[in-house]
Amino acid sequence: MRHKDEQWENEIRKEPFASSPFTEDHKRKVLQQVEWMKKSEEGSKGDRSEDSSRSSRPFRPQVGNVSHKRRPRRGGPLVAGTGALVIAAGLFLWIWDDGQLVKPVIEQVYPTAALQLSDGLNTNLLTDKMKRNVATTMRDDLGKQLKITKVEDLPVSGRIYVEAGNESEKEYAQIWLDATTGNLREVGMRREMQPSELEHRYLRQVPSLLQSIGSTPTLKPVAVQRYVSMKQGELEPISHTTLALENETGDGYGEIVWQQDKAVSITGDLRPDQISQAALADARNAIEALSGKANLDLVRASRSKDDELGKDTVSFSFKDNYFVQMTDGKEGLGYTVGDANHYEQDFADWEEIEAYYQELYNIQESLLRREVEPIIKKIFKMDLQAYKLHRNPDHPGMVTFELESSTDIFQVEYREDGRIKMITRGEL
């Protein structure tokens, strides 16, 4: 049966195993199991005193330094060779998720088999339940087993602290467990993933989600970030997965955010046939009122639908870094028109900076009204005379105009000479 064993060794070096979430260490362990079965074949010719029917029991993978008690099998080499195939196949059985292979059975049944521990750790602090909770939390929520670099007893709080990865790197995890029960208490994890590593249950949603906001459904994944958190008192970790997308030329953009498996925010460039010409004309008029520049070329039109914040925003970006955002949210309608150009200020020391901020804060109200009222009248067809101006010492260069008899508010950002940088109505 050596020929068949060699065939299996070749097979497990091919797809899908070569590109599977298994690490090289996992593959090595499988080959070790196959090699062990080859050796057991040679020793299987001795006396077999146990009931041969036991040899048909399901294979149960063993991890670590385990002494194997060999069981007699009828048929000698033939059965032993078949056993090697069963081991290789058993370790590489997969669970299907709508057409895509996702998780090996051994990590499902024995999650601690994939746990990675640095040398010199006080692993005696970790019970089997703690190890299992750490392994399954990283596997199911972070999507990857990070190497554990620290295990610490926190006797005052009655917790065990587990740290994995490096805080200065992109992949990092902190897990606090109850020292008595082994249950999770708090979790904070992060990692950056390659788009190819993102689970299929997310990727399959992308085209329809983009299409739902009028964006191009063919945008391609380019980057993935995942954050997982669980605070004191919460029952389970919550993951946020952010997927960035681009088109082939790199000038089209999209972004999708999932909380657990549910998409909560979708952003993408609008297809030309999805751009409201009335809204575009309104945006151009607003830019002309703010800047005095008419019929600026449209650079980009996009839409962002955020269920967590309860906002649906359409944004227009124009030549010379001017923009307009129109928001329909649970708090009402919002509208922003602004100049995104950055104007550098040169300061010699902190005294000059403080003097500049004081100048912004103390600007005359009459000057501000003279600058902003014509813009607001042209865009919103409203008069600011009845609105009262409020300053905020924590935000020099910004004031609000409020109407006492209503919730209507204008937030205005300005420069030291009174010129207006941005106006936002509502949605503050």
Side-chain angles (χ1 to χ4, degrees), residues 40-56:
S40 70
E41 172 186 342
E42 298 174 0
S44 64
K45 299 176 181 180
D47 293 333
R48 310 284 177 87
S49 59
E50 292 184 283
D51 186 351
S52 62
S53 64
R54 284 180 161 187
S55 64
S56 63

Side-chain angles (χ1 to χ4, degrees), residues 133-134 137-138 141-142 159 162 172-177 183-190 227-232 234 236-238:
N133 281 337
V134 169
T137 299
M138 285 198 284
D141 299 298
L142 193 62
R159 298 181 178 192
V162 176
Y172 184 59
Q174 295 177 296
I175 300 175
W176 290 262
L177 304 121
N183 294 332
L184 296 177
R185 285 294 173 258
E186 292 188 64
V187 173
M189 304 187 292
R190 67 172 186 264
Y227 298 91
V228 183
S229 65
M230 175 181 168
K231 298 178 182 179
Q232 177 66 29
E234 294 180 341
E236 62 180 13
I238 302 297

Side-chain angles (χ1 to χ4, degrees), residues 378-393:
K378 184 172 182 180
I379 298 175
F380 303 105
K381 309 297 188 293
M382 296 182 66
D383 196 326
L384 272 185
Q385 288 184 1
Y387 285 73
K388 186 177 181 180
L389 182 144
H390 295 276
R391 303 176 192 266
N392 186 339

Side-chain angles (χ1 to χ4, degrees), residues 216-222 244-254 269 300:
T216 305
T218 55
L219 293 177
K220 302 298 183 184
V222 293
L245 305 118
E246 288 183 357
N247 60 14
E248 293 180 354
T249 58
D251 56 359
Y253 177 77
D269 292 334
R300 172 170 291 171

Side-chain angles (χ1 to χ4, degrees), residues 297-302 315-319 321-324:
D297 292 338
L298 178 66
V299 175
R300 172 170 291 171
S302 63
S315 301
F316 297 101
S317 300
F318 295 91
K319 183 181 177 182
N321 294 319
Y322 292 97
F323 69 93
V324 171

Side-chain angles (χ1 to χ4, degrees), residues 106-149:
I106 190 170
E107 289 197 34
Q108 291 294 101
V109 180
Y110 300 96
T112 56
L115 203 60
Q116 304 174 49
L117 301 169
S118 297
D119 295 334
L121 293 178
N122 188 5
T123 55
N124 291 334
L125 293 174
L126 298 176
T127 64
D128 289 341
K129 184 175 181 180
M130 289 178 184
K131 291 178 182 178
R132 185 168 62 253
N133 281 337
V134 169
T136 55
T137 299
M138 285 198 284
R139 180 196 67 194
D140 296 341
D141 299 298
L142 193 62
K144 182 178 183 179
Q145 299 289 351
L146 305 184
K147 180 174 286 188
I148 296 174
T149 54

